Amino acid sequence: MSSYEGLAAMTNMVSSDLGPVYGSGINSAIGEAVSCKIIKSFDPQVADSKYNETEQLPEYIEAMIPHQVWRKTIYRLSERHPGSTMLSAALQHIADQGYQAEMMSLSSAPLHTHIFYSLLAECLENMSPANEENIHQKLEELITAVCRREQTYLVARYIFHGVQQKLGAKAAGIRRIDDELETYMLDNYKRPQLAINIQLLLSGLVVGGGNSVVDAAASIIQEEYAATGDVASLYNEYHGAVVSGKPAPPVDILRNVCVLHPIIEQVFGHLWDTTVQKMRPELANKYIWLIAYAALCSNEPIDEATKDKLQQLVVQLKEVCQGLSIHPIQTQIYQAVPKILEWISVPILARVVLLWIRDVATYDNFTYYDTYFTSSEVPVLLLLLEEIAYRHPLLKPLVFSAYKDGFESQVPGFSPEKQLRLQKIIINRIALLAQLDYALPVIDYFAAKKEQIDESVMVYFLHRLLAQFEAPYPAEFLVPVLELINFTIDGVKAAKEKEIVYIRGFLASIDNEQARLLCAALPDEASVTSTLAD
């Protein structure tokens, strides 16, 4: 403060006078007013000067930390004065006292290296029990701490790179987190060059240093297109290293999604995109070899066994490119099924097949369903998607997207009854996908679409979903499902007993008032059976 104003005495007096009239809420209002006064009057130079003399925090900071309103005041001060030494020490002390969780949203926290490391460690500890259902939710805290600034993103990627180098084949979990961070930066900041530059730096290569691999990768990223010359440069470096036995460039550059996906699109895009022309085999060979190398090889030296596997994968990629028909008829699909089941054992081939299936199903306003769907048979394309999800957990989001395409379709030639039947068949596949550690994204989708989904279809979804699981239910599953039942309770009450039974069992297993009320609102089994008999 510039001079003594008697704020403490005035605050106590106002609180004492107004408290009996306005209740406890007056304390929050007064606390906010005092907080604003502190922030307005705070002089970081004076505070830092006094701190630097003793290297100890003032007693008033120690007194503020146990109270959330004053911790928030310190946070707000640190946002306004990110270079303050005293405030940096205060933030570290707050983190040491166990308040890291409430610091996640603080944009200035990552600026203080000692605090950033603590936040990063806690985020990783929180992610340790994550699975495919909740991995993206668990990643939100990490993304908040890491992706706000280029500096913290670089530090995190450097740490993860070092861990991967030490753990080798055991670093799959860290590699997944690293990939998710890179994907987030690409999707949300639209700066692919930043991600690839950091990847190049971590790989020991100099950006703009005349390296042919760096130049080719940068060109593909900037153009979002894998030109023949750039691919030839990459092929010469990677393939040449395999042939000569010399160290190859880092495979991470080739695996970068902004490099690899355009290469895949050039070779296989004609299978799902009418604007992409099929490449001549002599041109496609280099593209295919690079795809195989990225999918199979690591930064370790390649032995003869790996070379054999690499050549085998190249052959399989060529088979897929030649063997999948563009917009095939049903007979061609059935003829290709044995080969497709063989191909989808390999992740990269499964991804290509999945994109092909999605195009076949949606092409020309869902002509496939209009031509071949019958109410008594599950479309073979849906069965292939189910098999892909079962074999390759990382492809479940793409499989779910393909299911959603069909579920949301409005097939021109379908009657309302046939459209509902298609939706219910797709729900059967979605329910099985939920059982494969993918329930939460499925539930979130139906919760978001509940206003647009027919009531009978929503009841059928709840029936099929709850048939896959048993009590006890985790809160992240229980709460949204309970809300869906509450939203569609009239439809549930009108449903057949075979659809109600799992919903009733779910509600009966939950010990809270809302569940008991919903359960009481349902007809009992005897009355439903009697009605059916009449």
Side-chain angles (χ1 to χ4, degrees):
M1 305 297 173
S2 58
S3 63
Y4 180 71
E5 299 180 18
L7 284 178
M10 284 190 288
T11 300
N12 289 333
M13 182 182 69
V14 171
S15 179
S16 176
D17 290 345
L18 298 183
V21 179
Y22 295 99
S24 59
I26 192 64
N27 291 331
S28 298
I30 291 174
E32 177 62 24
V34 174
S35 178
C36 291
K37 184 69 172 177
I38 293 171
I39 292 169
K40 183 178 179 180
S41 305
F42 182 79
D43 187 333
Q45 291 182 346
V46 173
D48 288 352
S49 176
K50 292 182 178 180
Y51 174 75
N52 291 334
E53 290 177 3
T54 63
E55 294 190 352
Q56 290 186 347
L57 289 171
E59 292 184 2
Y60 65 83
I61 293 290
E62 297 282 359
M64 292 172 74
I65 288 176
H67 306 283
Q68 187 179 44
V69 63
W70 305 130
R71 290 197 304 275
K72 288 184 176 179
T73 301
I74 296 173
Y75 300 155
R76 291 162 68 183
L77 283 170
S78 73
E79 300 275 78
R80 180 172 290 195
H81 309 287
S84 170
T85 307
M86 191 274 282
L87 290 175
S88 176
L91 289 179
Q92 177 62 55
H93 194 54
I94 292 173
D96 293 341
Q97 297 299 310
Y99 297 107
Q100 293 98 326
E102 66 184 27
M103 298 174 70
M104 290 296 180
S105 60
L106 190 62
S107 62
S108 63
L111 290 176
H112 310 287
T113 307
H114 49 295
I115 300 174
F116 175 67
Y117 288 145
S118 298
L119 295 178
L120 185 60
E122 179 159 326
C123 289
L124 293 175
E125 287 178 5
N126 292 338
M127 290 185 64
S128 60
N131 55 33
E132 285 301 318
E133 281 189 300
N134 57 17
I135 180 67
H136 290 287
Q137 293 179 353
K138 296 288 186 181
L139 274 166
E140 288 180 4
E141 288 184 357
L142 181 65
I143 286 170
T144 300
V146 168
C147 293
R148 288 194 174 190
R149 289 180 168 83
E150 295 178 3
Q151 298 94 322
T152 53
Y153 176 70
L154 173 59
V155 170
R157 293 291 307 277
Y158 178 77
I159 292 171
F160 294 150
H161 178 76
V163 173
Q164 291 179 58
Q165 294 290 98
K166 290 183 178 180
L167 294 181
K170 297 180 180 179
I174 293 293
R175 190 174 297 112
R176 171 74 186 281
I177 295 171
D178 199 27
D179 290 343
E180 293 286 352
L181 284 178
E182 184 176 61
T183 300
Y184 178 87
M185 290 293 286
L186 294 171
D187 291 345
N188 291 275
Y189 289 95
K190 309 299 181 185
R191 296 183 62 190
Q193 197 63 47
L194 170 64
I196 192 64
N197 284 352
I198 289 176
Q199 187 63 65
L200 293 169
L201 288 171
L202 293 175
S203 302
L205 299 175
V206 179
V207 181
N211 183 289
S212 59
V213 172
V214 174
D215 293 343
S219 175
I220 292 173
I221 290 170
Q222 290 170 354
E223 299 298 328
E224 298 182 355
Y225 175 80
T228 304
D230 294 328
V231 169
S233 295
L234 293 174
Y235 176 83
N236 290 339
E237 292 293 333
Y238 285 97
H239 185 266
V242 171
V243 172
S244 66
K246 296 179 180 179
V251 72
D252 310 273
I253 298 172
L254 200 55
R255 284 180 178 163
N256 184 284
V257 292
C258 291
V259 175
L260 186 59
H261 284 189
I263 295 175
I264 294 174
E265 190 70 23
Q266 284 297 101
V267 182
F268 298 99
H270 67 282
L271 296 173
W272 53 75
D273 187 344
T274 55
T275 65
V276 178
Q277 294 184 346
K278 185 176 182 179
M279 296 187 74
R280 299 197 307 272
E282 61 271 19
L283 290 178
N285 288 341
K286 292 180 180 179
Y287 287 76
I288 288 174
W289 190 91
L290 288 172
I291 295 169
Y293 185 90
L296 186 64
C297 297
S298 66
N299 289 320
E300 299 297 322
I302 297 179
D303 55 22
E304 291 301 320
T306 304
K307 288 181 181 179
D308 291 341
K309 292 179 181 178
L310 180 60
Q311 185 56 37
Q312 182 181 356
L313 183 53
V314 167
V315 171
Q316 289 178 313
L317 284 164
K318 291 179 180 179
E319 286 181 351
V320 171
C321 191
Q322 299 296 326
L324 293 178
S325 303
I326 302 174
H327 310 135
I329 61 175
Q330 185 85 307
T331 303
Q332 291 175 307
I333 296 175
Y334 279 122
Q335 290 173 346
V337 164
K339 213 51 176 156
I340 290 174
L341 291 174
E342 176 187 325
W343 291 333
I344 62 175
S345 297
V346 182
I348 187 65
L349 301 181
R351 183 184 180 88
V352 171
V353 171
L354 195 161
L355 294 173
W356 171 78
I357 289 173
R358 194 171 180 180
D359 177 70
V360 172
T362 59
Y363 176 71
D364 196 18
N365 206 7
F366 300 93
T367 296
Y368 172 81
Y369 289 123
D370 189 27
T371 305
Y372 301 113
F373 175 70
T374 63
S375 300
S376 60
E377 186 176 345
V378 179
V380 65
L381 295 183
L382 296 182
L383 296 175
L384 289 172
L385 289 173
E386 181 182 326
E387 187 67 20
I388 290 172
Y390 179 78
R391 296 190 191 188
H392 305 291
L394 294 181
L395 292 178
K396 283 184 284 190
L398 279 178
V399 171
F400 188 36
S401 293
Y403 285 155
K404 288 187 289 186
D405 289 340
F407 182 78
E408 297 175 8
S409 68
Q410 295 294 325
V411 184
F414 277 14
S415 64
E417 293 79 12
K418 194 171 185 180
Q419 187 73 46
L420 286 176
R421 178 58 186 159
L422 174 62
Q423 285 187 316
K424 289 185 176 181
I425 283 180
I426 293 174
I427 283 175
N428 290 341
R429 287 21 275 167
I430 291 175
L432 292 174
L433 181 65
Q435 193 180 34
L436 298 174
D437 287 335
Y438 207 72
L440 298 186
V442 167
I443 295 169
D444 289 344
Y445 168 75
F446 278 87
K449 293 286 185 179
K450 63 184 179 184
E451 300 282 355
Q452 293 84 43
I453 296 176
D454 183 271
E455 197 171 62
S456 66
V457 174
M458 183 63 81
V459 172
Y460 186 76
F461 163 70
L462 290 168
H463 154 65
R464 291 293 297 133
L465 175 73
L466 294 174
Q468 308 293 324
F469 300 95
E470 295 181 350
Y473 304 98
E476 58 266 29
F477 179 97
L478 183 155
V479 172
V481 172
L482 200 58
E483 289 301 319
L484 283 177
I485 294 173
N486 183 56
F487 178 81
T488 190
I489 188 62
D490 291 337
V492 176
K493 289 190 288 188
K496 298 178 181 179
E497 172 59 23
K498 67 179 182 180
E499 293 184 341
I500 298 177
V501 60
Y502 289 110
I503 298 175
R504 185 188 293 113
F506 170 77
L507 294 172
S509 69
I510 302 172
D511 185 21
N512 71 33
E513 186 63 23
Q514 185 184 23
R516 285 190 288 270
L517 290 173
L518 290 172
C519 194
L522 300 181
D524 58 42
E525 186 175 355
S527 64
V528 175
T529 304
S530 175
T531 301
L532 291 174
D534 293 342

